[in-house]
Amino acid sequence: MAITIMPVTPDFAAEVHDIDLAKPLTDAEFAEVEAAFEKYSVLVFCDQHLEAEQHLDFARRFGPLETSIAVYRGDENLRVRPEIADVSNLNARDQIWGEKSRLRMFQLGNRLWHTDSSFKRVPAKCSLLYARAIPPIGGHTEFADLRAAYDALPGETKRRIEGLVAEHSIQYSRAKLGFAQFNEEEKREMPPVPQVLVRTHAGSKRKTLYIASHAGRIIGLAQDEAEKLLAELTAHATQRQFVYTHRWRVHDLVMWDDRCTMHRGTEFDDLRWRRDMQRATVSDTAPTCEQEGARVAAA
Ligand SMILES: [Fe+2]
């Protein structure tokens, strides 16, 4: 049976039906999924029954997998394998985390608008998040369409931000929540990296903003001016008309395009309910400055 694509809006977010991701896709099926991904940015696959290996096999069709940054946290007993980012509220013993645990403080950053791995020199191309357990209340994921947000900017703003390069670091996003307890290995392995503020989306050739809570500075701008501009762009891009909210069901797999969207998790009672979400992440092909040919001035 042919795959069915059901758009949520004409350009952003679509459900994909009549597909079983537990089985390898044919090249023709994969081409349909890939085309939908490049067009809609967020794809929802319902009622998928996946082991970790099947989840990863599907993700690998889109490119090389990332390793979770949890390996730098020195967590000796990861709950999941290193190619999977554990986005749950569970510790290595599979219990709900403690109120004061470092893991909880660190993961609360996922409630801020961000795009995955923009703090890496080669950031993420796409993320594939699979729901194994969800809370009955809250814990949704919101997605913002940064291509549409770019299109809607006034011409003057487009001219102002063209060619600008921001500096992204996971320390910047965590600092916004008062978290600063990075160990030496984390600081060494994850220094701030330059990312263009406007990029051309490789799959559609549309222009897009590329912003995240990980962005903390803009090269060549005074700090207060940079923070104001980043806050304004984020407020613009996350207006209701650019946002799709996904309300999870168990066994949903949602994939999104990290090159042209931001996302955030919404609140839930994380000390009461289990939320077991596991993410495979695919790397982009090159640093954004290299892709855009931007000349990065010395910081
Ligand atoms: Fe994320």
Side-chain angles (χ1 to χ4, degrees), residues 110 114 116 263 279:
N110 290 331
H114 67 283
D116 289 332
H263 60 279
R279 193 186 80 210

Side-chain angles (χ1 to χ4, degrees), residues 2 24 44 48 86 233 269:
V44 177
Q48 301 294 323
D86 190 359
L233 291 173
D269 189 345

Side-chain angles (χ1 to χ4, degrees), residues 256-269:
W256 62 86
D257 193 330
D258 284 298
R259 301 167 298 179
C260 59
T261 63
M262 283 198 289
H263 60 279
R264 68 175 178 184
T266 72
E267 208 175 326
F268 73 105
D269 189 345

